[in-house]
Amino acid sequence: PIDVNVTFNDADTRKRVAVTKYSEASQRSERETLYLFTNGDTVHGQVIMTTPPGKRIDYNEVKAELIGQITIDNDSKEVTDFTCLEQVLSGPGGFQDSKIFDYSFMNVEHPHESYTGISAQLRYFIRITVLRSYAPNVVEEHEFWVQNAKQESEINNSIKMEVGIEDCLHIEFEYNKAKYHLNDVVIGKIYFLLVKIKIKHMEVSIIRRETTGHGASIFNESETVAKFEIMDGAPAKGESIPVRLFLGGFRLCPTYTHVQNKFSTKHYLN
């Protein structure tokens, strides 16, 4: 057997991020720490291959690939590679005990941010393949995370809308803006314009909605990220309730819009 270990040259100084991912092996979500990259970064490092003491391994080729991949897992699993860079590290050869190769992908374009959702996953990874003639090929993948920060939008209007039940309940919601960053604060008010029914309490929820597929094969799935009570008891007509919600404490992600025409993700206040 060959043990393949992939490292990054700037691992000591590069930021890392903790992400929650579903593990097929354990059948549950697990926290994992990955190195953080952004669009235009150079991805380079070493591939360290080792064998049991005294064991010689022959191969036809060793290659490194940098892959950007979207996986959609609904009725069937659909895998799409939108980025694929390849570098041959070695032609035919062999080694005993250990062997080290250098790989380098300069100024890599990472057009989309990494994402792990309900049915959609967007990931970047280094794949090392050792091609052999008389034994199974060895394939090792080493994932990393991509975030692409953007400038805050200059146009960010407030939101105001009225909902209710005719002649029974009219409520007006007002929020200070329509676009928020992941550590932002949602500030708003809820006005009771008409109250003719009994209300026990009121909750506000953050809903993440993930849309996959296109055309006639569109799947919508939602999950509640957070839920909290903002009112307990019956309100009176003309009463208002302030809303102040700190987003930094919740497991949110950026908005994804028609990524490679495969999936979209949005958040809603409900």
Side-chain angles (χ1 to χ4, degrees), residues 22-86:
Y22 180 78
S23 172
E24 293 185 358
S26 63
Q27 298 292 302
R28 61 186 178 87
S29 296
E30 296 180 349
R31 297 284 284 178
E32 184 178 355
T33 301
L34 301 175
Y35 286 98
L36 185 62
F37 288 80
T38 191
N39 189 33
D41 280 354
T42 293
V43 183
H44 55 166
Q46 291 186 325
V47 180
I48 305 169
M49 300 196 304
T50 58
T51 66
K55 177 71 173 179
R56 176 178 173 81
I57 296 294
D58 293 312
Y59 52 81
N60 294 330
E61 183 180 86
V62 178
K63 66 177 180 179
E65 297 169 282
L66 190 153
I67 307 291
Q69 186 179 89
I70 296 175
T71 302
I72 306 295
D73 194 357
N74 288 317
D75 293 338
S76 59
K77 182 174 288 188
E78 177 188 351
V79 179
T80 303
D81 291 347
F82 59 87
T83 295
C84 185
L85 306 175
E86 181 178 318

Side-chain angles (χ1 to χ4, degrees), residues 2-8 21 24 32-35 43 46-49 63-71 77 79-81 83-84 103 121-130 137-145:
I2 304 176
D3 183 30
V4 180
N5 184 33
V6 182
T7 66
F8 297 116
K21 305 190 67 179
E24 293 185 358
E32 184 178 355
T33 301
L34 301 175
Y35 286 98
V43 183
Q46 291 186 325
V47 180
I48 305 169
M49 300 196 304
K63 66 177 180 179
E65 297 169 282
L66 190 153
I67 307 291
Q69 186 179 89
I70 296 175
T71 302
K77 182 174 288 188
V79 179
T80 303
D81 291 347
T83 295
C84 185
Y103 70 89
Q121 183 181 43
L122 191 155
R123 56 193 290 259
Y124 293 87
F125 56 92
I126 300 293
R127 177 191 291 154
I128 304 300
T129 305
V130 182
N137 296 334
V138 177
V139 180
E140 178 70 22
E141 294 180 355
H142 189 66
E143 188 173 353
F144 59 92
W145 198 258

Side-chain angles (χ1 to χ4, degrees), residues 72 120 209-213 218-221 262-266:
I72 306 295
R209 178 174 297 170
E210 182 182 278
T211 302
T212 56
I218 290 182
F219 296 86
N220 289 306
E221 297 188 79
K262 299 296 182 182
F263 74 93
S264 299
T265 301
K266 295 182 179 180

